Amino acid sequence: MGVVPPDLVSSGEQGLGRKEISKALCGVNKSNKMKHASPPEPLRSANIDSYIRITDNGRESINRKVFFIFTLYNTLKDNDQLKLGASSSEDAGKWIHSLQNAVVKECPDPEKEFMSFSKKNWPPSRFRSSKRAGSKRSVGYYPFLQNEAVTSDVIAPSTWKIFGCQNGLRLFKEAKDWDSRGRHWDDHPAIMAVGVVDGTPEAIFRTLMSLGASRSEWDFCFYRGSVVEHLDGHTDILHKKLYSNWLPWRMRRRDLLLRRYWRREEDGTYVILYHSVIHKKCPPQKGYVRACLKSGGYVITPVNQGRESLVKHMLAIDWKFWKVYLRPPSARSITIRMLERIAALRELFRAKSGNHPSDFSSSDSSVKTMLPQDGMEDIESEDKGQQKFEQNADLKENEAEKTNSGRRSLMSLNDASDEFFDFPDSNEDIDFDLLENGWYPEKIQEQPTSHICQHRLSSAAVFVKKLHDLAVQKKGCIDFLELPKDENVATSYGNTLQKDSTYSLPCSWATAEPSTFLIRGENYLKDNQKIKAKGSLMQMVGADWLRSDHREDDLGSRPESIIQKYAAQGRPEFFFVINIQVPGATQYTIALYYMLKTPLEETPLLHSFVHGDDAFRNSRFKLIPYISKGSWIVKQSVGKKACLVGQALEIHYFRGKNYLELDIDVGSSTVARGVVSLVLGYLNNLVIEMAFLVQGNNEEELPEILLGTCRLNNLDVSKSVPV
């Protein structure tokens, strides 16, 4: 078994001590500089085996210092956990990747051992205190787990058309399918600025995340900002006030209330996404008009071996109330002006290129304290009765802004009863003219749900507006609109979602084109080249779109399912079921049914997967996602990169006589919950395509072949079937 090296500070079942990790991490940083000093003894050690899973918990403030937290836990014993922290997201990502590699390395050989290990044969706990690890095996690194050579596993046309270049930035607009030349402009178009910044992705990420004094060095639009609420390590609610001196004459000051979500990819790319929300702790401010950011964010990709970064900044924003005075082209010019902040960011890093190291640990105090301190201010909160919003150190204002109630500490987030709602679209029944004179979100909360049409449930505003279980929201889970159950309707599992091969009907399924997806070729281990998939091994025969008040596990075993109907007839077909479970007070389930007509033995890798243990399955089952139609913010949150699902989410496997079912718990990951909470808000306007396969790791298993594909068209929660 692999052993966690002694230079990573950790804590066992009782969780991570705040003082302990703060002091220890500082000690680790110092000890790393002492090349000849003996490594310090670990406070905790952990054996890495195939039943260990790693979760990314995001940012957390500990003793006024920001750490990036991740947790190892034993799937055989829920309270057997090891919580770890790193001083940067980059370091945390490296640890997570290395630990995941070690877990995969410990997987048993499926050719030699098909049966699952009995839980009784394993020790009750793997995480324990010790002065010195029993063995010193380093964390391994398998070649087949290296980052893929391509940044996308999907072949998709770009919807972005260049329309100009300004201040060294290329400017793009998002074109409609029918507007191949990109000549049409919406009222609130999605515009993107792209430029190269002389800084590492980690350093740029810290700069963009900061709301403190350092932001005034490059963001000429930003006046002041605060964190209204910290939802989890990857998501928070921000309030930003903008200067008015860069806006057109007579245009009133604007502010934004945003939900911010971030993540780091394995290749070092950072994604930061924003969209407008409504929060009862931050109603519209006197003297400000609240603009609506429909979609926006940053994508920071390493180039030139990580020494520079390609930064993409996208905005689709409704500035509100001033169309009477200015034409739509003026609105676009304001959005473009705001995008030019990337040029200012580029000049900031160029000016600091001589003394701006990526780890921000230079002896230059102005560099060393600028970003970590701001990051700390961004996510800290204290228990005080009537506390003001966080304020910038060097920006002062006569009017003190107070929240309706005191902000809670991070430890009490799960018990908080705060509520936030997506910003309504302009076509909703709200009189925005009232906002100028002081409009309060209670008017939305008191509006009867019967006044809102079901067919407009696709709007993120209408979707999130109907959330009622607020404590669940704090945990990153999204509750849908409670819909009445029809107890008299019998469920025929595998047939609750209609099929439409023409792609024209909403709330339907079809198979996706296999050639859209890239898979490992025959010589992948030598040339790292991927090829277009030529077909799929299985045929998709059905899908379910269900809702319930609890998890719906093992659908394949239910007498009403198409699987059991085939079994009752003694037919030889084998079924593969992918059951994706969305958490919340109301549990939503999308289940996909695939059928294999040939004998299982004719496909050795699939045979090994079906008969292998859970650890082997977790190390091989791969998903390639693709949002073929939808908002930029959703496309960025999902991505187009293959993912080993079992390394990121909990999967429960159910093996029947003629089927294998994979029940994927989306709520088991903070990152996944953040993505799903964003995706589901736009569900009615999305076309989601997916491909599934078993990863090939050696020459005998290559080239890969898709198990199956699917295309989900404009799913509607109101049309889900109650169970």
Side-chain angles (χ1 to χ4, degrees), residues 63 66 87 114 121 136 143 167 220 250 254 294 319 334 339 390 417 440 464 483 492 527 539 548 589-590 655 671:
N63 288 347
V66 173
S87 58
F114 282 140
N121 295 333
K136 292 190 65 177
N167 284 341
F220 54 81
R250 295 189 65 183
R254 261 51 183 175
K294 296 177 177 293
W319 292 101
I334 296 176
L339 290 169
E390 291 181 72
S417 59
Y440 295 93
V464 183
L483 298 171
S492 178
D527 57 20
Q539 175 188 357
S548 176
T589 298
I590 182 73
R655 178 74 165 91
V671 176

Side-chain angles (χ1 to χ4, degrees), residues 571-624:
R571 300 181 61 168
E573 290 86 355
F574 185 84
F575 289 85
F576 195 87
V577 184
I578 300 172
N579 181 347
I580 303 174
Q581 301 169 336
V582 181
T586 298
Q587 183 90 31
Y588 280 75
T589 298
I590 182 73
L592 311 173
Y593 295 79
Y594 296 90
M595 183 173 67
L596 179 67
K597 293 185 178 180
T598 59
L600 194 60
E601 292 77 11
E602 293 184 6
T603 312
L605 182 56
L606 180 60
H607 183 269
S608 299
F609 184 87
V610 171
H611 292 89
D613 73 342
D614 291 357
F616 172 71
R617 294 166 177 164
N618 288 337
S619 69
R620 294 297 190 95
F621 180 64
K622 190 154 66 174
L623 159 69
I624 307 176

Side-chain angles (χ1 to χ4, degrees), residues 101-159:
N101 290 352
V103 170
V104 173
K105 191 173 181 178
E106 295 300 328
C107 291
D109 186 348
E111 300 296 335
K112 298 179 180 179
E113 188 168 5
F114 282 140
M115 301 302 295
S116 298
F117 293 115
S118 169
K119 295 182 179 181
K120 296 181 181 180
N121 295 333
W122 290 93
S125 176
R126 287 174 175 74
F127 302 123
R128 58 189 182 274
S129 302
S130 67
K131 292 185 177 180
R132 195 58 81 171
S135 61
K136 292 190 65 177
R137 176 177 176 177
S138 62
V139 176
Y141 191 82
Y142 266 16
F144 61 80
L145 287 177
Q146 294 177 8
N147 292 333
E148 309 286 10
V150 294
T151 58
S152 171
D153 289 313
V154 174
I155 300 175
S158 174
T159 59

Side-chain angles (χ1 to χ4, degrees), residues 300-355:
I300 313 154
T301 305
V303 294
N304 193 15
Q305 299 180 339
R307 292 189 293 270
E308 295 179 322
S309 301
L310 181 69
V311 180
K312 300 178 181 179
H313 182 21
M314 179 272 188
L315 291 173
I317 187 167
D318 180 0
W319 292 101
K320 298 293 183 186
F321 301 124
W322 55 281
K323 293 181 190 176
V324 176
Y325 311 104
L326 297 174
R327 296 180 179 180
S330 299
R332 296 198 295 268
S333 67
I334 296 176
T335 302
I336 293 171
R337 174 67 172 152
M338 196 172 191
L339 290 169
E340 290 178 359
R341 295 180 298 178
I342 296 301
L345 181 71
R346 179 190 61 209
E347 295 306 312
L348 171 67
F349 275 86
R350 181 176 296 173
K352 294 180 177 290
S353 59
N355 58 356

